[in-house]
Amino acid sequence: MSTIVIIGAQWGDEGKGKIVDYLTEKCDYVVRFQGGCNAGHTVVVGNEKYILHLIPSGILHKGKKCFIGNGVVLDPSGLLKEIDTLISKGIEVDNNLYIAKHCHLIMPYHIAIEEQAEKRKKIGTTKKGIGPCYTDKIARNGVRMVDLLYPDILKNKIRANLEIINFLLKNLYGAEILDEEQIFNQYIIYAEKLKKYIVDADVLINKAIDNGKNILFEGAQGTLLDIDHGTYPYVTSSNTIAGGACTGTGVSPKKIDNIIGIVKAYTTRVGEGPFPTEIKDSLGEEIRKKGGEYGATTGRPRRCGWLDLVGLRHAVRVNGFTGIAITKLDILDGIEKLKVCVGYKYGNSILEDFPKELEILQNCTPIYEEIPGWKENTAGIKDYENLPHNAKKYLQFIEDSLKVKIQIISTGQKRDEIIIKESPV
Ligand code: IMP
């Protein structure tokens, strides 16, 4: 038996989908544990490109059991669209998808309120209602998957929540209010379609672990977007770090064997917020184009920058990575000199630890070490020995700095464009 948690080590979009897809081959269950359809995992299988927002990408592998855990916030309309698309492409969903009873639902009023809140204070959210849904969860007003099975409870919850939200929409934001009956009727239709997937996920996942199954916990977003350990308030509203795999599924930390950090060979960020190593000149644009750095969910251009070891050391610390996967190495092909941030300078101080203060993050100057780049093509290389000398040196520098072994290197979008130095499972 082996359990493995996959975590984004930066601000999301590290290419987790591809690594999850590879590791899924060796696993029986794949479990999402946080976030919602703000995430977008792109997986290329043959000539077909799949973008999955909620359903674990394990669904693309025959017979793998895919779970949406209690830590996820689920938008039923998005989920149903995703299910329909998969079925239309011949993917079997019905016997392989399971949703936790105590997973919270995104309601139309979450999206409406976020739309307004973003106008007042711009976080650059995906506007999928993620934050407001988690707000209701923590405030104990949330609608859960299990409520779809009890129409009276569902109705009462919608009524109570709308009383407050409509007051805000009308009186604070001067916006359209929402209709209780319409939402209720819509969610009853969703209930009919989704009830076959609703299960006691914590019970089933723990049983599977006890029965020796291999389980992969698929994180969404990244460490620096974690609600507690990220660049608050420019973060998402869930715990994206490894601990989230436990709270978001009901599995004990004692049962987690491997935690793999996914590190993009450079850094990107989408949305507002501090980004010390952002490249603001034409090289940033070049990397964006070459790396296809546009949001899978919103299509927004991602901000691009150099690798930041201060942020990555923080990620190693709060997640306890047992191994690392480096992605998109090939995007750096042909860049003459690469920079890697090894510390931040703020006033007269040199900082080695990722600061909590937004003010410092926004105004610090990165301290760079320059590493010679490589001219050769790394795209599609499958054998570590075939990597250019300087690419190996770049990887070695990362490994030495983070003191965590690099187990996987991804050298392209396709499933087989990958170097496995040491398989984590
Ligand atoms: P929210 O998750 O929609 O609330 O957005 C909060 C912040 O997280 C914004 O900066 C988003 O751009 C960012 N974000 C959310 N999901 C992702 C993701 O999957 N990849 C990268 N950034 C994300």
Side-chain angles (χ1 to χ4, degrees), residues 69-255:
N70 58 275
V72 171
V73 286
L74 184 151
D75 182 338
S77 84
L79 177 67
L80 284 165
K81 273 191 213 132
E82 213 159 284
I83 291 174
D84 286 348
T85 309
L86 287 169
I87 291 175
S88 75
K89 291 186 177 182
I91 306 287
E92 198 192 339
V93 176
D94 278 7
N95 290 318
N96 296 324
L97 180 65
Y98 303 84
I99 304 171
K101 266 186 190 166
H102 48 333
C103 166
H104 281 248
L105 292 179
I106 295 187
M107 308 296 289
Y109 47 80
H110 292 138
I111 297 169
I113 208 88
E114 184 163 61
E115 187 91 41
Q116 299 304 325
E118 271 282 302
K119 286 185 199 157
R120 293 199 136 201
K121 177 178 167 190
K122 193 162 191 279
I123 299 289
T125 71
T126 57
K127 296 197 184 150
K128 301 285 181 190
I130 306 293
C133 183
Y134 279 116
T135 304
D136 272 357
K137 172 178 173 172
I138 300 300
R140 293 159 293 191
N141 294 327
V143 178
R144 304 190 301 171
M145 206 65 200
V146 65
D147 298 328
L148 292 181
L149 305 177
Y150 300 92
D152 289 345
I153 295 179
L154 178 66
K155 197 173 198 124
N156 287 338
K157 283 195 173 183
I158 293 174
R159 176 167 305 151
N161 285 334
L162 269 188
E163 228 172 72
I164 301 167
I165 298 223
N166 274 342
F167 180 85
L168 289 176
L169 284 174
K170 186 170 167 209
N171 299 305
L172 180 65
Y173 297 117
E176 291 272 310
I177 60 164
L178 300 174
D179 183 62
E180 177 191 321
E181 209 55 33
Q182 205 180 334
I183 296 176
F184 174 71
N185 291 337
Q186 186 63 65
Y187 274 66
I188 287 298
I189 297 172
Y190 294 151
E192 211 36 58
K193 293 185 176 171
L194 291 177
K195 64 182 180 199
K196 60 184 164 198
Y197 303 114
I198 304 176
V199 294
D200 276 322
D202 53 327
V203 175
L204 296 181
I205 297 167
N206 275 291
K207 261 192 194 149
I209 295 175
D210 295 345
N211 289 335
K213 301 279 186 206
N214 288 333
I215 319 279
L216 187 150
F217 297 91
E218 174 179 347
Q221 291 89 43
T223 301
L224 300 179
L225 287 172
D226 183 277
I227 185 75
D228 287 293
H229 300 283
T231 49
Y232 191 89
Y234 297 100
V235 290
T236 192
S237 299
S238 61
N239 282 118
T240 58
I241 62 167
C246 297
T247 55
T249 59
V251 167
S252 161
K254 283 197 297 190
K255 293 185 178 171

